């Protein structure tokens, strides 16, 4: 074997190995600020300054699951409003365990972005009593196994995770504070309860209490004024002033009360205790708000929020920290746009620009793939030798007092690191779109950049079908140019032509269901069947009239109990008497329910749909008459079929198909009769 011609390749491999072996220091782990309950307050102060100075903030989350049942996954046959309902269900059922926040600020001197990645551990712990006893959420085994694979610290999350209140829950807690039962938020000692419950029944008591409240307020104001060196007014002593004397108790100013009756002292004490406990309750509520302080910060600073395929992330933000998710996409986007008016989805950028598509080379547009392909120098550290034909937007990481531009990329799927990757992908995508950060000034607002405006507030509601939702209107947006390069075009779906079937015999496959229907309504009556799960399918008919015909025929056959009904081609589909059929709107009703059942048929029953067939409201009587004619034609001549036919000749149900249907029925009927006679003999 001649080894000479292999020498250049071996030399290259050897040189790379030597360069790694003799490098100064190995790359350190990625610098990431982990935030738990113990350091949340200090981290929030630092984060506030970083967000205020940032050009944009990247976010990411780790959740306990994505879909509560296989039939709730995103399907080709999901209508736009159905897709939102499935996102809503996911955000309501699962918990957020980690929330990554990474502010990016452009440093014109270093010609680099400065990133501050934060990894918040979050856990829905109940810090104050509300209406419900405790939080509940689902865990999807595949998601939990995925987190465990990447060494997720579940103990840190559960024991040290930061709790939170949504805006609605905070409002509820404050109403309870000022309500007659507000003392439920506090734990008063037993010896104070009689004082707290002392009723004010006399006018003199009410006037005395108000006067004491005013006097105590003046005393407090005087102390604060004297502490800051303000002028002191000379006041003429009176009886009331003689009763209030400032003393020091444990090195702190206090009041000595003289000349009051025991009843008056109880009134003064009651007011002070109530005020103290109200302040204590307010402090507890502010502490219980917890991680939502971060969400409020991102909202109040009105920064550009960047995520990757982030519709579910935004839904979780709404559900966990703002308010319960509304029933429609239009209401959802109205609330999101109010609090976060500027959101960019990097998945939109990657699929909307032809240059980026070509650079991705038809690869996956997952976050990790995009990060490796678009930001190789950042992914491997700037000191490593990475073959790159184009300059990469530089990023330097600051965590506390540590600065770094060289690290290991081994922290994937921690929310803080994924937020960092998202921000880097966004910066690089902006560079490809023609945004020159070297000309970027601190006063320039990226939310107003013309080259980003057409991509702003557009999120993939479904990546599978390319459905894009516009957060400004809630409407479906046309997919941008370039996005169809990596995904096959799907057939056009007419939802009015679709019939939903569930509860049929388990032995039937979608292809067998199609054959049963085509034997009845013609070979071209069904365009396609789509499996929802093993208990349900969609049947798309070639015409809406055929969908109506099928539903009426199914009802008629189930109401009949004669031999013809049992020999009908649809009898195989109706065997067992549990087959249900409905229009597409019933599918929406089932998807909108908060109930969680693994199988679709069980879900439909739990929702309360008991009837066997939902007939379409239009042309019901005419369709019913036409269906009867199909049954009668089984025993009549072909001429009778021709007389009962009311549709045009281009309809799928034509003479030949009806004749075949009649022949099949008669042949089957004769076979059954022959078997009966033979048995009797």
């Amino acid at each position: 074997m001649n080894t000479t011609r292999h020498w250049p390749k071996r030399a290259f491999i050897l040189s790379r190995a030597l360069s790694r072996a003799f490098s100064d220091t190995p790359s350190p782990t990625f610098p990431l600020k982990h935030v738990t309950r113990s350091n949340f307050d200090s981290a929030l102060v630092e984060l506030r300054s970083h967000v205020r100075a940032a050009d944009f903030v990247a976010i990411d989350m780790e959740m306990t699951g994505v879909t509560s049942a296989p039939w709730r996954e995103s399907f080709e046959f999901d209508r736009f409003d159905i897709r939102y309902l499935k996102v809503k269900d996911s955000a309501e059922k699962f918990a957020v365990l980690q929330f990554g926040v990474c502010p990016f600020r452009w440093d014109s001197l270093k010609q680099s972005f400065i990133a501050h990645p934060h990894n918040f551990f979050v856990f829905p712990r109940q810090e104050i009593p509300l209406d419900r006893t405790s939080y509940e959420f689902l865990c999807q085994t595949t998601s939990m196994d995925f987190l465990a694979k990447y060494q997720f610290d579940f103990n840190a999350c559960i024991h040290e995770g930061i709790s939170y209140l949504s805006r609605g829950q905070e409002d509820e807690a404050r109403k309870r504070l000022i309500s007659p039962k507000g003392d439920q938020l506090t734990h008063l000692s037993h010896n104070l309860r009689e004082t707290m419950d002392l009723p004010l029944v006399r006018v003199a008591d009410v006037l005395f209490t108000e006067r004491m409240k005013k006097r105590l307020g003046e005393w407090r104001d005087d102390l604060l004024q004297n502490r800051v060196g303000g002028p002191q007014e000379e006041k003429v002593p009176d009886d009331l002033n003689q009763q209030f004397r400032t003393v020091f108790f444990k090195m702190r100013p206090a009041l000595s009360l003289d000349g009051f009756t025991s009843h008056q002292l109880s009134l003064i004490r009651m007011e002070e205790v109530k005020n103290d406990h109200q302040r204590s309750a307010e402090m507890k509520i502010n502490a219980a708000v917890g991680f939502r302080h971060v969400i409020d910060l991102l909202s109040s600073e009105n920064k550009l929020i960047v995520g990757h395929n982030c519709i579910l992330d935004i839904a979780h933000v709404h559900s966990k920290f703002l308010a319960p998710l509304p029933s429609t996409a239009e209401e959802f986007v109205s609330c999101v746009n109010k609090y976060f008016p500027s959101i960019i989805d990097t998945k939109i950028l990657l699929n909307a620009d032809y240059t980026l598509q070509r650079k991705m080379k038809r690869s996956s547009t997952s976050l990790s793939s995009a990060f490796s392909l678009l930001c190789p120098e950042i992914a491997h550290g700037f000191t490593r030798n990475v073959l790159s034909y184009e300059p990469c937007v530089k990023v330097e990481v600051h965590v506390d007092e540590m600065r770094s531009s060289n690290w290991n990329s081994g922290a994937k799927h921690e929310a803080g690191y994924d937020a960092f990757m998202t921000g880097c992908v966004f910066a690089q995508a902006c560079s490809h779109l023609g945004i020159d950060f070297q000309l970027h000034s601190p006063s320039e607002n990226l939310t107003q950049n013309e080259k980003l405006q057409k991509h702003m507030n557009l999120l993939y509601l479904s990546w599978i079908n390319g459905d894009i939702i516009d957060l400004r209107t809630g409407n479906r947006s046309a997919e941008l140019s370039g996005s169809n390069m990596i995904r096959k075009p799907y057939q056009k779906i007419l939802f009015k032509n679709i019939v939903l079937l569930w509860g049929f015999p388990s032995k039937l496959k979608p292809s067998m269901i199609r054959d049963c229907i085509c034997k009845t309504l013609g070979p071209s009556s069904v365009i396609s069947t789509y499996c929802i799960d093993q208990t349900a399918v969609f049947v798309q008919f070639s015409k809406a009239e055929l969908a109506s015909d099928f539903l009426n025929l199914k009802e008629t056959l189930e109401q009949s109990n004669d031999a013809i009904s049992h020999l009908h081609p649809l009898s195989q589909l109706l065997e067992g008497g549990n087959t249900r059929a409905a229009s597409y709107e019933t599918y929406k009703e089932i998807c909108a329910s908060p109930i969680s059942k693994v199988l679709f048929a069980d879900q439909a029953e739990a929702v309360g749909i008991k009837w066997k067939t939902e007939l379409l409201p239009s042309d019901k009587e005419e369709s019913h008459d036409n269906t009867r004619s199909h049954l009668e034609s089984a025993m009549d001549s072909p001429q009778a079929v021709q007389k009962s036919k009311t549709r045009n000749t281009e309809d799928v149900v034509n003479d030949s198909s009806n004749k075949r249907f009649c022949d099949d029925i008669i042949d089957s009927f004769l076979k059954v009769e022959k078997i009966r006679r033979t048995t009797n003999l």
Side-chain angles (χ1 to χ4, degrees), residues 591-602:
C591 289
S593 171
I595 299 173
S596 292
K597 297 294 183 180
V598 175
L599 296 178
F600 185 87
D602 294 338

Side-chain angles (χ1 to χ4, degrees), residues 190-206:
H190 179 72
N191 62 337
L192 291 177
R193 286 197 178 274
E194 290 186 1
T195 302
M196 289 288 291
D197 296 333
L198 184 66
L200 296 178
V201 295
R202 298 187 302 173
V203 175
D205 290 345
V206 175

Side-chain angles (χ1 to χ4, degrees), residues 273-560:
V273 169
K274 282 185 176 180
N275 290 337
D276 286 344
H277 282 281
Q278 183 169 2
R279 286 191 293 269
S280 174
E282 288 178 346
M283 292 177 62
K284 287 183 177 181
I285 292 175
N286 288 331
V289 168
F291 181 76
R292 210 204 73 226
H293 286 301
V294 175
I295 304 300
D296 292 344
L297 170 64
L298 298 179
S299 175
S300 62
E301 292 301 323
N302 199 20
K303 297 293 182 179
L304 174 62
I305 304 299
V306 179
H308 185 84
N309 203 18
C310 59
I311 182 64
L312 188 55
D313 294 333
I314 301 301
H316 272 287
V317 168
H318 191 300
S319 175
K320 305 295 188 297
F321 310 115
L322 300 180
L325 284 163
S327 58
T328 66
E330 291 78 11
E331 296 175 276
F332 166 69
V333 302
S334 176
C335 183
V336 170
N337 200 250
K338 175 182 176 182
Y339 293 106
F340 301 99
S342 304
I343 299 177
I344 285 282
D345 189 339
T346 51
K347 194 118 178 172
I348 292 286
L349 294 184
L350 295 179
N351 290 283
D353 183 75
Y354 180 76
T355 304
L356 286 173
Q357 281 284 341
R358 186 173 56 183
K359 186 174 182 62
M360 294 294 292
K361 299 176 182 178
R362 302 174 68 85
S363 298
S364 167
T365 53
S366 68
L367 179 59
S368 57
S369 296
F371 183 57
S372 298
L373 289 171
L374 297 181
C375 316
E377 294 180 6
I378 303 175
H380 300 92
F382 282 110
T383 59
R384 295 195 182 186
N385 295 323
V386 179
L387 296 178
S388 180
Y389 299 101
E390 299 179 14
C392 185
V393 178
K394 295 183 179 180
V395 177
E396 186 176 299
V397 178
H398 288 195
V399 174
D400 295 329
E401 300 300 322
M402 182 176 62
R403 301 182 178 185
S404 178
S405 59
N406 181 27
W407 52 76
N408 245 325
S409 59
K412 290 180 181 178
H413 304 299
E414 283 199 282
Y417 184 72
D418 285 0
F420 168 75
M421 289 197 297
T422 299
C424 292
V425 169
F426 171 71
Q428 191 64 32
C430 286
S431 179
H432 280 279
L433 292 174
I435 300 176
D436 190 350
F437 290 111
Q438 295 182 359
L439 303 177
H440 183 72
S441 64
S443 61
E444 184 179 352
N445 191 341
L446 280 178
T447 61
Q448 305 300 323
N449 188 283
E450 293 182 1
K451 295 179 179 178
L452 289 177
Q453 280 298 310
K454 65 179 181 179
H455 309 298
M456 196 82 66
N457 293 319
L458 299 178
L459 305 182
Y460 274 115
L461 190 56
S462 170
W463 164 243
I464 294 177
N465 279 52
D467 269 348
I468 295 175
I469 185 171
D470 191 331
L471 293 182
R472 291 160 294 198
T473 63
N475 297 328
R476 181 176 183 175
S477 177
E479 196 167 14
L480 302 175
S481 60
S483 56
N484 290 324
M485 294 180 62
I486 63 172
R487 202 168 46 248
K488 68 175 183 179
Y490 286 100
Q491 61 177 328
K492 184 178 180 181
I493 298 174
L494 299 176
F495 295 101
K496 65 179 181 179
N497 295 12
I498 289 178
V499 167
L500 171 67
L501 287 174
W502 72 94
F504 46 79
S506 58
K507 63 183 179 181
L508 292 184
K509 306 302 179 184
S511 59
M512 300 170 67
I513 294 175
R514 176 174 183 165
D515 291 341
C516 289
I517 299 174
C518 287
K519 286 179 180 179
T520 303
L521 299 180
S524 60
S525 58
V526 176
I527 295 178
S528 61
T529 55
Y530 189 90
C531 182
I532 299 174
D533 65 6
Q534 61 264 44
T535 67
V537 297
F538 285 127
V539 179
Q540 183 177 11
F541 290 87
S542 57
K543 293 184 179 182
E545 306 94 277
L546 291 173
S548 178
D549 285 349
F550 170 78
L551 292 174
N552 283 279
L553 176 59
K554 175 182 179 295
E555 184 190 35
T556 302
L557 288 171
E558 288 173 328
Q559 292 176 354
S560 303

